[in-house]
Amino acid sequence: MGTAERRVAPGDGAGARSAVRRGPEAPDRDIPAEERRVLWVEEPARRRRLPDPVRTAAVRAVIIISVTLIQAMVAFFCTMAGSWLAFPMVISSIVSTVVATWGALDVWVTRQVWNQRYGVVSDPSSTARALRRERRRARRQARATERAQARIRRRGGTGRLSHP
């Protein structure tokens, strides 16, 4: 594939056209067609995407942790240089470490809460499904019997199929 190619989604009006549009590119005449390889192959994701609240908490935690690491480095260099800024930077690094710990715990707690609320898919087991199917079949049979008895009563019969 050349750099001038563009993938088109099936719903983007491509219709019967090919899913790959080719722009002007130099053909590889020296490589036989059967030996040419695709440079980029899209593969499906191995894991599902994180839920939005969890992803938001994770991004926030990464930003907080990176700022904390930068503050710690600045505090170290200020201490080595003997600068007056060393003491305030050490104090702020300690506070930032506490906040970064909170951020990491926030990701964990948010993930647990999301899993508790939305993550459990309640699929009945095969035995529960079979029992429900049996109960449904018994109810249908009882209703059919009830309808048949009501039909016989409406016709004036005593429950027998033929009268002498």
Side-chain angles (χ1 to χ4, degrees):
M1 292 177 140
T3 56
E5 295 172 349
R6 184 175 81 103
R7 293 223 177 261
V8 177
D12 287 346
R17 290 180 289 166
S18 172
V20 177
R21 291 186 188 166
R22 296 197 176 268
E25 63 181 83
D28 292 328
R29 293 188 185 104
D30 54 340
I31 303 173
E34 59 272 355
E35 289 183 17
R36 290 186 195 140
R37 287 184 282 158
V38 178
L39 294 177
W40 185 271
V41 177
E42 288 192 29
E43 296 178 2
R46 289 194 174 112
R47 292 188 326 182
R48 288 193 341 233
R49 201 171 127 156
L50 283 174
D52 287 340
V54 179
R55 193 169 53 251
T56 304
V59 168
R60 185 172 47 237
V62 165
I63 292 172
I64 291 170
I65 290 170
S66 63
V67 168
T68 302
L69 290 174
I70 292 170
Q71 278 185 334
M73 282 184 0
V74 170
F76 174 76
F77 290 133
C78 286
T79 304
M80 290 294 117
S83 172
W84 64 271
L85 197 57
F87 181 71
M89 287 305 296
V90 168
I91 298 299
S92 69
S93 293
I94 292 170
V95 171
S96 290
T97 302
V98 172
V99 173
T101 305
W102 168 83
L105 284 175
D106 181 43
V107 174
W108 183 68
V109 169
T110 305
R111 185 171 163 267
Q112 296 298 324
V113 167
W114 196 91
N115 280 337
Q116 277 188 338
R117 289 185 184 165
Y118 310 106
V120 178
V121 178
S122 179
D123 286 332
S125 66
S126 58
T127 55
R129 197 175 295 128
L131 288 173
R132 241 191 359 251
R133 205 173 285 140
E134 284 295 322
R135 283 196 301 263
R136 221 178 286 134
R137 191 176 296 129
R139 280 196 305 263
R140 263 191 237 121
Q141 185 67 32
R143 280 195 302 257
T145 306
E146 181 73 29
R147 280 195 299 269
Q149 291 296 328
R151 198 177 311 120
I152 290 172
R153 276 189 234 112
R154 275 195 308 261
R155 291 185 182 168
T158 59
R160 293 180 292 177
L161 294 177
S162 60
H163 295 285

